[in-house]
Amino acid sequence: MAVVEGARRRVIDTGRRALGLDVPAADHTVAVLHSVDAERPGLDRRETLQLMRIRLLGATGAVIMAVSALGVGAQPVHQNPTSGMRVFGFFARAGTSTLAMCMIGTVLVIMAWLLLGRFAVGGWGGHPRHRLSRSQMDRTLLLWIIPLSVAPPMFSNDVYSYLAQSEIAARGLDPYAVGPVDGLGLNNVLTNNVPNIWRSTSAPYGPLFLWMGRGIAQITGDNIVLGVWLHRMLALAGVALMVWALPRLSRRCGVAPVSALWLGAANPLVLFHLVGGVHNDALMLGLMLAGLEFCLRAIDDAPHFDQRAWALLVFGTVLITLSSSVKIISLVSLGFVGMALARRWGRGLKPILVAGGTLGAIAVVTTLFVSFTSGLGFGWVNTVGTATTVRSYLSLPTAVGIITGFGGVLLGLGDHTTALLDITRPIAEIVAGFVTVRMLIATWTGRLNAIGALGVSLGAIVLLFPVVQPWYLLWAIVPLAAWANRPAFRVPAVVLSVVVSVMVMPRGADFYVFQIVESAIATVVVGLSLIFLTRNMLPWRNQPGVSAPSQQPTPYGVSS
């Protein structure tokens, strides 16, 4: 009997430790990703001059990308405004040269972003002696965004699917039941711009996004250029919300706001794929982060949970729910808000149930309002897994399944890739679910800030998701930018952002091998030449700055 009792106790202890209930704070490995940033003096005169040059370098790259998008961007099949024009149409005819232009512009923006990081987060393993101001960061980011915001879509054709699905909704049809071919017809101008793989596919997006898209369709009709620009306005609104929320969230974690903006909002993946690619993930992330900030104002800042705190909590929860009505994945953040709220209300299971019931009720009411008022219903619940039909090498379970299946082919065992994916993907989902549960518990016990725990959870979900597009990485990078400030996170995040940014072709499609090789050679030559010519004008090396020894650094805030 004692043996059975001892075994039962060991199982319980192991389970509690696995979930993080009995793990001492010092042993919580994820917590080492965070520390409190210290205040730093502003840039001196020499560094300010270097900043202006870095800003110009990035703006030059963005302009080159915008111009090259006239030829190698995701231009529409019909209603291409540059088609047949002598000057602007040249870029489409000179495919290899224009591809080289785009790759050079891409690398210039990335180089400028990395150099800007010296004045935001310091070198690879240190802290900046001086740090640029918030206004300097905002002006730099705005200057880099403007050229890409007026350029044709780049790196993806998804915006044309948005237009077609929105037109289906505008015609009174159900975009969750019919695709562009069935809803609009094969010869419709909007259908012809949708990639072949998605022409018969119903919409996987939430009702809020298609509600907005239906309004755009009613304004623009079949005008593709105007429709693309209005959808880009939605993306820019999402980026603006990110710029508003990130500094406020980072201050809660004791992280420098410009550091969070540099890694989160100024990230090349944001510039290239959310702004240039016109992806609705920008709106989803912006609403989610803004809602998280309002909720934490109610939970952390209010001395008493009074009427104002309740108003902030309800408003923040509504924003998060609206973000999930763009893409459902952001609803995960509501769980971390609930755990933080339960911790505020006291220990035990009852606060968790009350907090979960309260937030759940607000989310249900908001979702019902959007679904019924828009007239789109709940068909989106059945279509959220549409994208899993694509095999993405950025997804760990998909990559493992494909590589293992290829190994079986080499060994003469046959192609069992599909069967292997049916094994690896469910296992990955279980692991991602376990990580999320553990992060929820860490938030409840106070070992992790809700922002950091959410970022870690989204990181596990993204990496273990059946399909991972390049911009999906921002689901984790953006919230983690406000909390995880140690090299153990920043270095992999920067490397991954850079590598993925240069991997994707400018119109999301393949080019001939010789075009890619020749363009890559031209990019390397131009990049190395630029580094050589500006080696004494730009901080390519870790140049010593002028410190202020009389000024004692003070922390931005206290780590939660």
Side-chain angles (χ1 to χ4, degrees):
M1 193 69 182
V3 174
V4 174
E5 179 62 24
R8 187 181 72 85
R9 174 52 55 186
R10 284 193 297 272
V11 170
I12 293 175
D13 292 343
T14 301
R16 290 179 62 86
R17 187 171 181 84
L19 292 173
L21 290 171
D22 295 332
V23 180
D27 294 338
H28 201 296
T29 55
V30 173
V32 303
L33 299 177
H34 170 70
S35 65
V36 177
D37 280 341
E39 292 277 6
R40 299 291 177 182
L43 303 182
D44 59 27
R45 184 176 180 180
R46 177 179 62 85
E47 292 167 334
T48 301
L49 179 60
Q50 289 180 332
L51 174 63
M52 294 175 63
R53 292 167 177 165
I54 292 171
R55 186 182 294 164
L56 179 61
L57 176 64
T60 302
V63 170
I64 292 175
M65 290 180 65
V67 173
S68 67
L70 297 173
V72 295
Q75 294 275 49
V77 177
H78 300 293
Q79 299 183 17
N80 186 341
T82 63
S83 180
M85 297 181 66
R86 291 187 177 183
V87 177
F88 294 108
F90 165 79
F91 298 99
R93 297 190 293 271
T96 304
S97 301
T98 310
L99 176 61
M101 282 181 59
C102 185
M103 293 177 68
I104 291 171
T106 300
V107 170
L108 292 184
V109 173
I110 292 173
M111 290 164 63
W113 178 66
L114 294 175
L115 290 175
L116 185 67
R118 287 199 176 277
F119 298 141
V121 301
W124 287 107
H127 300 282
R129 291 181 174 87
H130 294 166
R131 183 177 278 127
L132 79 166
S133 67
R134 171 66 192 278
S135 62
Q136 289 173 326
M137 172 61 78
D138 288 344
R139 289 195 298 270
T140 302
L141 180 57
L142 182 63
L143 191 62
W144 293 356
I145 284 178
I146 289 175
L148 296 175
S149 65
V150 298
M154 302 186 70
F155 303 105
S156 173
N157 292 282
D158 282 3
V159 67
Y160 301 118
S161 295
Y162 300 166
L163 294 176
Q165 292 157 1
S166 299
E167 177 62 21
I168 291 173
R171 294 187 179 187
L173 301 175
D174 186 0
Y176 302 121
V178 297
V181 170
D182 295 331
L184 303 179
L186 185 60
N187 296 323
N188 184 272
V189 63
L190 297 178
T191 302
N192 290 337
N193 285 285
V194 177
N196 290 333
I197 189 175
W198 305 122
R199 288 189 178 182
S200 299
T201 304
S202 52
Y205 309 113
L208 177 64
F209 179 70
L210 289 182
W211 194 9
M212 294 178 174
R214 184 172 67 190
I216 292 175
Q218 291 171 346
I219 294 172
T220 62
D222 291 339
N223 191 320
I224 294 175
V225 175
L226 183 57
V228 167
W229 277 358
L230 289 180
H231 273 280
R232 180 167 274 154
M233 291 301 104
L234 292 181
L236 291 175
V239 173
L241 286 173
M242 290 165 52
V243 172
W244 178 86
L246 269 178
R248 290 164 173 79
L249 293 173
S250 66
R251 289 192 187 97
R252 298 185 179 280
C253 304
V255 175
V258 294
S259 301
L261 284 173
W262 173 78
L263 185 56
N267 193 298
L269 292 174
V270 173
L271 301 176
F272 299 162
H273 294 286
L274 299 192
V275 178
V278 203
H279 284 290
N280 57 9
D281 299 70
L283 186 61
M284 182 267 288
L285 283 170
L287 289 172
M288 182 189 76
L289 294 176
L292 189 61
E293 165 61 18
F294 281 110
C295 288
L296 294 180
R297 283 186 186 183
I299 297 171
D300 296 337
D301 298 349
H304 306 287
F305 218 84
D306 53 13
Q307 187 175 359
R308 180 178 181 276
W310 274 108
L312 289 172
L313 181 66
V314 171
F315 183 64
T317 304
V318 168
L319 287 181
I320 292 175
T321 308
L322 290 178
S323 74
S324 70
S325 294
V326 177
K327 280 195 170 182
I328 190 68
I329 187 65
S330 64
L331 197 61
V332 174
S333 61
L334 207 57
F336 293 90
V337 172
M339 285 301 189
L341 181 61
R343 179 174 173 77
R344 166 73 186 265
W345 284 347
R347 305 284 294 181
L349 184 61
K350 183 178 178 180
I352 296 179
L353 296 177
V354 175
T358 302
L359 299 181
I362 298 171
V364 168
V365 170
T366 304
T367 304
L368 289 174
F369 174 81
V370 173
S371 298
F372 283 116
T373 306
S374 65
L376 294 170
F378 295 92
W380 57 280
V381 176
N382 300 318
T383 62
V384 292
T386 299
T388 58
T389 56
V390 178
R391 295 180 178 179
S392 169
Y393 290 93
L394 290 176
S395 166
L396 291 181
T398 302
V400 170
I402 292 175
I403 293 172
T404 306
F406 181 70
V409 173
L410 293 179
L411 294 174
L413 301 177
D415 186 1
H416 302 287
T417 302
T418 302
L420 289 168
L421 290 176
D422 291 338
I423 297 173
T424 57
R425 286 178 170 177
I427 293 175
E429 291 172 0
I430 294 173
V431 173
F434 173 78
V435 173
T436 301
V437 170
R438 173 148 183 163
M439 292 301 102
L440 288 169
I441 294 175
T443 303
W444 177 54
T445 57
R447 293 195 180 96
L448 283 183
N449 183 287
I451 303 167
L454 170 64
V456 173
S457 175
L458 287 174
I461 292 173
V462 168
L463 293 178
L464 298 174
F465 210 58
V467 175
V468 179
Q469 300 292 355
W471 53 94
Y472 288 7
L473 300 174
L474 294 169
W475 298 355
I477 291 177
V478 172
L480 280 174
W483 176 80
N485 59 347
R486 300 298 296 273
F489 165 72
R490 279 179 175 165
V491 172
V494 169
V495 171
L496 196 60
S497 298
V498 170
V499 172
V500 173
S501 293
V502 299
M503 280 175 53
V504 184
M505 290 293 100
R507 59 169 170 251
D510 294 331
F511 288 82
Y512 292 112
V513 175
F514 79 89
Q515 291 179 304
I516 299 175
V517 172
E518 292 177 0
S519 301
I521 293 173
T523 303
V524 171
V525 171
V526 172
L528 293 178
S529 300
L530 181 64
I531 293 175
F532 176 78
L533 294 174
T534 61
R535 65 189 184 281
N536 296 321
M537 294 184 290
L538 292 175
W540 298 107
R541 299 178 298 276
N542 192 16
Q543 302 171 355
V546 180
S547 61
S550 62
Q551 178 177 347
Q552 294 297 324
T554 56
Y556 274 96
V558 178
S559 176
S560 299

